[in-house]
Amino acid sequence: MSRPAGALMVWLCAMSAPLALAEGPAKAGGLSWEKTFGPLATKPDLYVKARTGDPSGGTHALELWREGDRRLRRRTDALLEVWVEDQGAAGAPAYAVTVVDQRSHTVRRVSVERSAKLGPAFTWWPLAHLLPLPGPRYTLRKLKESVLRVGGARCEWYLYIPDGQPEQRICWSREYAVALRHEEKRGEGWWTRLAVESMGPLTDKEQVFHLDATGLREVPLPEPAED
C-alpha cells in the first residue's frame, strides 16, 4: 500500500532535515547573505558527492548534478531523488519538481504552478548550492581560518549565527557557487551538517537527466483542497 501524499511530504522533509530552511532572508548586521552567497554571473555545471549529518547522529550520502541554472538532480542515500527544471521564459525562471521515492517505487511530478507549495526545502537555491537560506535575523562574518580545498575547488570560511540558534561555520566556494562544508556548534566541538567529498565536471547530461521510470508508479498529487 502506498503512503499517502501528505505522509510522503513529511518523509521528504525529514530526509532533507540537515538542509531544512528557515524563513526568507532579510537585512541583518554584519555581512549580507545576498552579497556573500548570492547568485554569481556564472554557475558552472558540476557533479558533487557529499555526506550530510542528521541530528540523531546518522549520516547520509548525497549526490548533486547541476546544469547551470537550468536543471538539477539531487539524490540522497540512493532512495530519494529530487529533480528540478526551469521551464520559464528567459529571465523569468519557473521550476517544475519531480520527486522519485525508491522505497515506495513511486514518482510524483509537480507542475510549476504547484511546486511552490512544496515548501522552501524544494526550491532551487538551497538544492543547487547545498546551503539553506537564512532566517530574517542573523549575523554573518568572514573567518580568518585557512582556505579549505576539495579537489580543484577551494572555499573560504564564514561564521553564521542564526538568531536563537547555535552558531555555524560555512566554507563557501565562490567559483562554483556551492558550500563545501557546513558545521554547527555542539558543545566544545563542531557537528558536520555537510561535507563535500569530491567535485567534478558534469558529463553525459542526456543520460544524467533522463528519468527511467521503469518499475516506478506514477502517483498523482491530491487536489488543491487536500494539500
Side-chain angles (χ1 to χ4, degrees), residues 11-43:
W11 180 76
L12 293 178
C13 290
M15 289 293 290
S16 60
L19 299 174
L21 303 185
E23 297 294 326
K27 291 183 179 180
L31 296 176
S32 161
W33 185 279
E34 293 84 352
K35 290 183 179 180
T36 304
F37 305 130
L40 306 181
T42 301
K43 297 185 180 64

Side-chain angles (χ1 to χ4, degrees), residues 5 9 108-111 114 118 219-224 226-227:
M9 290 299 105
R108 296 177 185 270
R109 303 180 192 273
V110 187
S111 66
R114 300 191 64 187
L118 286 178
V219 179
L221 290 172
E223 293 302 314
E226 300 177 21
D227 284 348

Side-chain angles (χ1 to χ4, degrees), residues 57-100:
T59 59
H60 304 279
L62 176 69
E63 292 177 277
L64 169 67
W65 297 263
R66 186 184 77 190
E67 183 181 3
D69 289 329
R70 180 189 173 197
R71 55 186 177 178
L72 67 81
R73 176 184 175 188
R74 181 163 155 163
R75 179 163 64 192
T76 302
D77 292 338
L79 295 175
L80 172 68
E81 292 197 10
V82 180
W83 303 54
V84 184
E85 181 176 4
D86 182 7
Q87 297 182 352
Y95 297 103
V97 177
T98 300
V99 179
V100 178

Side-chain angles (χ1 to χ4, degrees), residues 10-173:
V10 171
W11 180 76
L12 293 178
C13 290
M15 289 293 290
S16 60
L19 299 174
L21 303 185
E23 297 294 326
K27 291 183 179 180
L31 296 176
S32 161
W33 185 279
E34 293 84 352
K35 290 183 179 180
T36 304
F37 305 130
L40 306 181
T42 301
K43 297 185 180 64
D45 300 348
L46 52 78
Y47 168 64
V48 177
K49 293 185 70 174
R51 58 182 173 85
T52 63
D54 62 47
S56 65
T59 59
H60 304 279
L62 176 69
E63 292 177 277
L64 169 67
W65 297 263
R66 186 184 77 190
E67 183 181 3
D69 289 329
R70 180 189 173 197
R71 55 186 177 178
L72 67 81
R73 176 184 175 188
R74 181 163 155 163
R75 179 163 64 192
T76 302
D77 292 338
L79 295 175
L80 172 68
E81 292 197 10
V82 180
W83 303 54
V84 184
E85 181 176 4
D86 182 7
Q87 297 182 352
Y95 297 103
V97 177
T98 300
V99 179
V100 178
D101 182 353
Q102 294 292 351
R103 286 183 173 181
S104 59
H105 306 290
T106 58
V107 57
R108 296 177 185 270
R109 303 180 192 273
V110 187
S111 66
V112 168
E113 293 74 19
R114 300 191 64 187
S115 63
K117 296 183 180 180
L118 286 178
F122 297 92
T123 56
W124 174 268
W125 203 92
L127 291 170
H129 303 285
L130 302 181
L131 185 66
L133 292 168
R137 303 177 69 86
Y138 62 87
T139 300
L140 180 68
R141 66 174 184 267
K142 192 171 183 180
L143 296 173
K144 296 182 179 180
E145 298 188 27
S146 300
V147 168
L148 176 68
R149 295 184 182 275
V150 178
R154 64 188 297 275
C155 61
E156 297 180 322
W157 287 97
Y158 294 85
L159 180 67
Y160 166 53
I161 307 177
D163 188 36
Q165 299 180 43
E167 61 186 59
Q168 300 171 27
R169 298 193 304 187
I170 298 166
C171 202
W172 179 254
S173 169

